[in-house]
Amino acid sequence: MHTIFSRVNNVSAFLSSCLMSLVLAVAIASALYHTYQTPPAAGVVVNSIKVLPGKGRYLRKYRSRQQQEFAFVNFNLTADLSPLFHWNTKQLFLYVSAEYTDQQGTANEVVIWDRIVRRKEDANISSTFKNKYHLKDMSTTFRNAPPAHYTLKYNLMPYVGLLAWGEAARTSEPIPFPEPHQLA
Amino acid sequence: MSASFKDNLLDLLEGKIDFEGQRQVENIAKFALIAAAVFSFIVGVLFQSLSVTFGIFGVAAFVLLLVVLPPWPMYNRHPVTWLPAKESQPPS
């Protein structure tokens, strides 16, 4: 500590320890907050589902694109996610996914819609949406697919600390896929 | 003339302080950094803003460096008093 350089060394060493403890305290506090806060109020209601035949991925064996059924979902979201915006929230990633376990016992989870919420003012959502991403089954048809639940989930991205996941809403009953429309 | 100017500059850059000053600096730095961390955390929670937290901590750290790094006269108030030089023995 007797010269400037040894003082710089000593003070900056303790300064970085204090800074790390501060960051750790912030991370632990927001993790505890996320664990013990009341879950946000939200709801998903599916208005209508249509299944239409179309062309899927290209198969070299047949030199043509595969026959593939696509599901089109129209749903209502009502969510007030503003309680998730606390001092350590950078942004929220919201996503709606269709969940069903098929006859082979495979759990499918298909993200059909998502949104990034950066501001608390945008965290209050009440609107009708359509799926942004293709909803299609691995077997190319929904004929054997059981009814699916639709869920609204979120991923909270903090400035400091660990990511937090949560489920904001889920349809009360599973909704069956309809028979495919025949294109005339 | 030029040699003494160089010595003065080197002394200024080296910034020596005495033993009592070293103890003072250590205590000030320890207390100030812990207090700044706790205070900035509490104020940040109250204002619900991380930029307030790290702003307060950064300003406090900058002020601390200003207080602690230069060889202020308050760190040189207890110079070491040496024993008086013994008269050199005549060679026997």
Side-chain angles (χ1 to χ4, degrees), chain A residues 1-4 7 15 87, chain B residues 14-17 22 68-69:
Chain A
M1 298 288 265
H2 66 296
T3 64
I4 283 191
R7 286 201 290 280
L15 184 115
W87 66 323
Chain B
E14 199 179 12
K16 274 193 177 173
I17 58 177
Q22 290 181 42
V68 153
L69 290 190

Side-chain angles (χ1 to χ4, degrees), chain B:
Chain B
M1 173 73 191
S2 95
S4 79
F5 176 69
K6 193 177 149 207
D7 287 350
N8 285 339
L9 193 67
L10 282 180
D11 278 351
L12 201 67
L13 279 180
E14 199 179 12
K16 274 193 177 173
I17 58 177
D18 60 32
F19 291 118
E20 198 56 39
Q22 290 181 42
R23 182 178 292 136
Q24 273 179 307
V25 161
E26 199 173 324
N27 289 338
I28 290 173
K30 231 179 232 172
F31 175 79
L33 282 172
I34 292 176
V38 172
F39 179 74
S40 60
F41 181 81
I42 292 169
V43 176
V45 168
L46 292 183
F47 279 88
Q48 285 291 296
S49 163
L50 269 191
S51 49
V52 168
T53 300
F54 289 105
I56 290 176
F57 190 77
V59 169
F62 182 72
V63 171
L64 175 72
L65 292 186
L66 281 187
V67 168
V68 153
L69 290 190
W72 298 116
M74 59 182 273
Y75 303 133
N76 271 321
R77 278 195 304 224
H78 304 277
V80 177
T81 49
W82 300 98
L83 290 176
K86 271 186 192 169
E87 304 225 344
S88 56
Q89 301 274 330
S92 52

Side-chain angles (χ1 to χ4, degrees), chain A residues 56-93:
Chain A
R57 69 192 181 94
Y58 183 79
L59 293 178
R60 185 172 285 173
K61 195 163 68 171
Y62 303 117
R63 296 194 169 200
S64 69
R65 292 174 71 191
Q66 192 178 28
Q67 290 293 318
Q68 170 85 57
E69 282 178 7
F70 294 92
F72 293 87
V73 187
N74 188 306
F75 56 94
N76 261 335
L77 281 187
T78 49
D80 184 13
L81 300 170
S82 49
L84 292 176
F85 275 84
H86 50 79
W87 66 323
N88 193 12
T89 303
K90 180 174 161 56
Q91 61 184 16
L92 275 182
F93 180 71

